[in-house]
Amino acid sequence: WPAIALVLAFGLVVGLINGYTVVRTRLPSFIVTLATFFVLQGVNAAGTLKLTGTTAIQDIDSADGFASARHLFATDLTQYAFKVKVLWWISLTLVGAWILAKTRFGNWIYSAGGDPNAARNVGVPVARTKILLFMMTSGTAALMGVIEALELRSMQAKEGIGLEFIFIICAVVGGCLLTGGFGSVIGAFFGAAMLGMVQLGIVDAQWDSNWTYTFQGAILFAAVLLNLFVRNRAQKTR
């Protein structure tokens, strides 16, 4: 449990650093987070190797409190292997959707992403809003790392590397604009569900798993075109 708390706190600190860097330097968020990702990837692999002599952490389930932590984050709830992490996914989606739709902070998020200067002129704390968003995103990523570690009971230092662009595809397929100001948590939820079903469907159909990347690219391209078409139609209607 202390390790879980430390991981979550570290995730929030990473988000704070990324958000502060973006606000102060005005560099693109994608560049800052990608740079931090590569830095931490190297520190993680090299540090794990230095401390343990290997790039894998084994026997996580031998730690005190593992059973209770796994029960909360990564257990199967039914005989059909319905995982509790699905409930975490749904719960976080509902909380995020409520924040965006029903709170002042949600309005700040859309304003800061759509037109920061206009938002700042009407009193929106743009810098603070962006930093909090980075912290929320990084904290959620840390939580996902905890869930994966508890589920697998051992962890490679490079676990999850290469999936970062899949997360971007999920958001774009869900209707989020990479330029900011438009999108929804529910949309990203269904975008992730769609890509997950494609990946599982290809495996269940006993196709070559390499086709997964082809379908993901095609879905991304189609989603961007649909997004562009809808936005153009909306602007003409106005």
Side-chain angles (χ1 to χ4, degrees):
W1 283 104
I4 291 175
L6 184 61
V7 167
L8 295 177
F10 179 75
L12 294 175
V13 170
V14 171
L16 175 64
I17 293 172
N18 281 339
Y20 183 78
T21 302
V22 169
V23 169
R24 292 292 294 178
T25 64
R26 298 186 179 181
L27 290 171
S29 302
F30 181 78
I31 299 300
V32 173
T33 52
L34 188 63
T36 305
F37 168 73
F38 281 117
V39 170
L40 292 179
Q41 178 183 341
V43 170
N44 181 36
T48 303
L49 183 62
K50 183 71 173 180
L51 292 173
T52 67
T54 178
T55 57
I57 302 297
Q58 305 289 345
D59 302 323
I60 298 176
D61 53 346
S62 65
D64 293 337
F66 175 85
S68 59
R70 189 173 192 274
H71 180 75
L72 179 62
F73 292 109
T75 191
D76 294 341
L77 294 179
T78 69
Q79 61 179 334
Y80 302 106
F82 182 84
K83 299 182 181 300
V84 71
K85 68 179 182 180
V86 175
L87 296 181
W88 278 98
W89 177 39
I90 295 173
S91 299
L92 288 172
T93 299
L94 293 176
V95 171
W98 176 79
I99 290 175
L100 274 182
K102 300 295 185 180
T103 67
R104 178 183 297 178
F105 183 64
N107 289 331
W108 289 354
I109 292 172
Y110 280 120
S111 300
D115 192 335
N117 292 327
R120 198 175 290 110
N121 290 335
V122 297
V124 174
V126 174
R128 188 172 66 187
T129 299
K130 286 188 175 183
I131 291 174
L132 285 174
L133 278 173
F134 274 98
M135 293 179 67
M136 291 166 64
T137 303
S138 188
T140 304
L143 175 62
M144 188 61 209
V146 168
I147 292 174
E148 286 294 301
L150 292 171
E151 186 175 41
L152 298 176
R153 306 189 184 207
S154 65
M155 184 63 63
Q156 291 285 338
K158 294 185 178 181
E159 189 74 33
I161 301 299
L163 296 177
E164 56 276 5
F165 291 106
I166 303 300
F167 309 144
I168 297 173
I169 294 175
C170 291
V172 173
V173 169
C176 299
L177 291 180
L178 295 181
T179 52
F182 186 83
S184 70
V185 178
I186 299 296
F189 174 92
F190 283 109
M194 183 185 300
L195 261 71
M197 286 188 289
V198 167
Q199 185 173 4
L200 292 175
I202 289 175
V203 174
D204 290 341
Q206 298 182 351
W207 288 19
D208 183 348
S209 61
N210 290 315
W211 284 107
T212 302
Y213 300 105
T214 302
F215 279 99
Q216 287 171 347
I219 291 172
L220 174 61
F221 187 67
V224 172
L225 285 178
L226 180 61
N227 237 333
L228 181 62
F229 174 75
V230 171
R231 282 178 58 83
N232 289 338
R233 287 294 299 271
Q235 289 175 354
K236 289 180 180 178
T237 302
R238 290 177 183 177

